[in-house]
Structures are given as C-alpha cells and as structure tokens.
Amino acid sequence: MMESVQRIRYPSFDYSNIDPSSIPIIEVIVRSDSKPPTPFRIGNEEGWMVEWRGKKTGDDLLPIIDSVTTTATLPFLMRTRDGWYIEPDSIHAIARKLIAPTVVILIMSLLLHAIAPVISQNSILLQSYQIGPLDYPLLLLITFPIFVLPIIMRSFANYRDINNQNYYIQNPLDEPEIDLKIGNGNVTINSMKMPEGVIVEAARLQVGVAVPERASILKALDRDENEQPPPGMSTPLPERRIASVEEHGTGVGEAIPMPIAHSRVLILEPLRVCSRGELVNLNGGGSCTLQGPEERWPGSIYSSLIALHWELIVYVQRSGAKMQWVKPIIMQGPEEEINIEKLPLMSSRAEISEK
C-alpha cells in the first residue's frame, strides 16, 4: 500500500460570507494501491486550499483513510458532468441583482412613510388610495410592485427552464461526433459534427476540484453521521440525488434552479473550485486548440477527498434555448511540483455562474 497526505479546506456553499480560517483544514493519510500524483498545492493556509503531498515527519498521527486513487473519472461525475445540459435562463441572474436594491427601496418607503407627518402635512408621502373598505399608503402601492418584481422574474425564468427541460426530454439529442487530441494542458478539436438543429457557438477547457465525499470528511473529522455536521455542511437530503453538493450536504438545495424529475440532472451544477481556459468562438467551425488555465494545473486525479477534474464544454443553441455539451477529459499532469497561491472560486449557483 502506498501512503500520501491530503490537506483540504473546501469552500462551503455560501463561501463569500465565511472566514476560511474559521474552518479547520482536513488532514488525512490516504492509503491506496496506486501511486499518488506529483505533489501539488492550490491555495494557502489562511484561505481555501487543496494539497496533496508525500508523508513527512509528524504525519503519523493523522487519520488514515483507505481510498481508491485513479485517473479514471469517478462514476458520480460521469452521471452529473457528462452529456447535454440546459443553461439556466439569463433572467435568473438579472433578478438576483435586483433583490438588494428592491429591498432597499421598500425599506426606505416604509421609513419615509413613518416620518412623513414630521416632514410635511401635505406631502405625497401621506396620500393614500382606497381599495375596498381600506386605505393604503400611495407610496407603498408604488414601491411594493417593485419589491416583488424579482420574484415575478424568477418565476418566469423557472417556467422557461422547465419548458426547455421538458422539450429536451421529449426530443433528446444524440452525442456529437468530435475528434479530439489531448495535449499538454490543452485540447485540439480536429473535427466536430453536431446533431441536426444544433448551432455551435463556442467552447472552452476548464479544470476544477469536485466536492469531497461526505463519508470521508466525517471520518477525517471523527464525526458521526447522526451528530451535528461540521462547519460548511448541512444534514444530507433524504431524497434521491439532485446534485452532488446536495447529496454531500453542502449545496443546501440551491445549487441548481428548478430541476425536473428525470433519470439525470439536466442543469449543470457549477464546479465551485474552477479555473477556466479562454473561451474560443466556434461560429466559423473548423479545427481549433483550446488552452487550459494560464497557471499550470495538475492532471486528472481522483480520490474520495480530492477529485481534480478536467472537462471540455461546448456552448450551443437549439430552438432558441442555450445548451452545453460537457465531456470529461483525462489530462496528463506535469512532472514538476505545482504551487498555485490562490484557489480559484466560482459561484455555487448555476444561474449566476458566468459563461
């Protein structure tokens, strides 16, 4: 058995409101039949981080986890990050940006209405409008519809998302025929043939770290499943898998908007830890080379705690709906040790993750 050390402080769902240093770093010795990868470290001790290295003096007291170490994509990633996906409606992102200003407008209108008698006896702030037997402040009748506007927009966007998902279920697409050549941190598309009615727009190569396995986290922290979960995790959802972060108790039901009942999820869950290569326009067709991130990342490597995942994403349109075709890539890693100072993060919500 080969032993190596994994250290990880994975970002929680709402990581922007959490101080990373308040969450303990998970440190374990991983035992596996396979050789560990070239040592790498992404992030730093004060922030979110992922590290895989050899054993050092003093590591013998760390918890030991038996885990498969492989370059083959794990089954749960093949189920949730392979094939065709619907992009959430762009109205979701607009609605979310409007939430804060509309709440401020409503609070200000309530405040102005409360102090209106002190300001002026004839102010518009004191005017009311009668609906049935009751009088309602005119200012609130103006601001309240503004306040509920994001809710109406989200409902409309959810309706369109459900329609797009149902249309795909009723009219599924075949896999595209793509001739790929995987290079050193890049992928060359030699040829691409999409199903009829699909218009290719762009493509990119990206790499990220998937959510750690819940059982391994609890074992590393010496926690029982029936006890209070560690910081950054919720209790697991009792229903079937919706998205990987929800199964592991870190998505709290908000990673993807309005998924419908289907054999697999049709909206792509964001990789919370993700670094992207340049988006390449493919409107003209033909061959192209997709480069990975500017900083050199490790190759594909998977275990129960650290799963470093490369994938190709092709952005398309079909009948006016924006879609993505996602293909896991087995990327070879460099021979030299990798040290990236900051762990790159993306929004945990699919509807506001930037293209």
Side-chain angles (χ1 to χ4, degrees):
M1 298 288 285
M2 296 187 177
E3 294 185 341
S4 58
V5 173
Q6 291 183 351
R7 305 177 69 237
I8 182 170
R9 182 191 280 138
Y10 197 83
S12 55
F13 181 80
D14 197 15
Y15 60 81
S16 58
N17 294 321
I18 295 178
D19 178 13
S21 60
S22 65
I23 297 179
I25 297 176
I26 299 172
E27 300 180 278
V28 298
I29 295 175
V30 177
R31 290 193 308 201
S32 174
D33 292 330
S34 304
K35 181 182 178 182
T38 303
F40 63 83
R41 176 172 173 170
I42 308 171
N44 55 71
E45 299 283 342
E46 291 73 35
W48 309 110
M49 67 168 293
V50 176
E51 182 180 10
W52 197 332
R53 60 168 172 81
K55 283 183 64 177
K56 297 179 180 178
T57 304
D59 288 338
D60 292 329
L61 297 179
L62 295 177
I64 298 176
I65 291 180
D66 293 314
S67 172
V68 173
T69 301
T70 178
T71 57
T73 308
L74 295 179
F76 90 90
L77 286 169
M78 292 300 295
R79 290 196 303 269
T80 58
R81 306 194 69 84
D82 181 36
W84 290 105
Y85 295 90
I86 309 294
E87 284 192 26
D89 197 284
S90 58
I91 295 178
H92 283 293
I94 300 173
R96 280 198 171 273
K97 291 179 181 178
L98 290 176
I99 291 175
T102 54
V103 170
V104 171
I105 290 173
L106 182 64
I107 293 174
M108 290 299 298
S109 67
L110 291 171
L111 177 63
L112 289 173
H113 183 71
I115 64 175
V118 179
I119 298 174
S120 172
Q121 292 299 321
N122 299 315
S123 172
I124 189 176
L125 303 177
L126 291 177
Q127 297 182 21
S128 61
Y129 188 82
Q130 186 174 4
I131 302 177
L134 300 177
D135 289 339
Y136 294 89
L138 182 60
L139 184 60
L140 291 183
L141 288 178
I142 297 173
T143 57
F144 186 74
I146 298 175
F147 172 71
V148 300
L149 180 62
I151 301 174
I152 297 172
M153 294 174 66
R154 286 298 299 272
S155 299
F156 178 68
N158 284 331
Y159 172 77
R160 294 178 62 174
D161 286 341
I162 291 172
N163 277 350
N164 287 335
Q165 292 176 75
N166 283 327
Y167 181 78
Y168 176 83
I169 292 172
Q170 296 166 6
N171 304 276
L173 289 172
D174 295 330
E175 291 291 300
E177 298 177 10
I178 301 181
D179 180 19
L180 295 176
K181 181 181 179 182
I182 301 174
N184 185 17
N186 60 69
V187 168
T188 299
I189 300 178
N190 296 317
S191 64
M192 180 187 303
K193 183 180 179 182
M194 287 287 170
E196 184 178 354
V198 175
I199 303 172
V200 179
E201 292 184 338
R204 71 157 26 111
L205 184 64
Q206 69 179 29
V207 57
V209 181
V211 178
E213 186 180 273
R214 181 182 181 88
S216 296
I217 293 177
L218 295 177
K219 183 176 181 180
L221 296 176
D222 196 24
R223 298 284 187 101
D224 186 84
E225 182 65 75
N226 298 319
E227 296 178 350
Q228 180 179 356
M233 296 180 68
S234 68
T235 54
L237 298 183
E239 302 297 331
R240 66 174 180 84
R241 172 189 287 274
I242 299 297
S244 61
V245 294
E246 294 174 0
E247 177 178 295
H248 293 299
T250 62
V252 294
E254 298 184 28
I256 54 179
M258 295 300 287
I260 64 176
H262 189 50
S263 57
R264 69 178 185 88
V265 179
L266 292 178
I267 296 178
L268 186 65
E269 172 196 336
L271 275 174
R272 202 176 301 167
V273 176
C274 183
S275 186
R276 292 172 156 182
E278 182 182 355
L279 186 68
V280 177
N281 191 316
L282 295 179
N283 287 335
S287 62
C288 69
T289 298
L290 305 175
Q291 298 292 340
E294 289 185 10
E295 64 276 8
R296 189 69 173 99
W297 274 63
S300 302
I301 188 70
Y302 301 91
S303 70
S304 59
L305 271 181
I306 298 178
L308 211 145
H309 179 70
W310 287 78
E311 61 190 12
L312 166 68
I313 300 184
V314 181
Y315 300 94
V316 305
Q317 275 204 41
R318 181 202 190 192
S319 301
K322 292 185 177 295
M323 299 184 65
Q324 303 169 355
W325 182 75
V326 181
K327 181 67 176 177
I329 300 293
I330 306 301
M331 185 69 68
Q332 295 296 319
E335 295 297 327
E336 65 275 9
E337 185 173 338
I338 289 178
N339 193 333
I340 300 174
E341 183 60 29
K342 187 177 181 181
L343 193 70
L345 303 177
M346 286 182 57
S347 171
S348 303
R349 294 180 170 89
E351 67 267 29
I352 56 176
S353 292
E354 295 182 1
K355 181 174 177 179

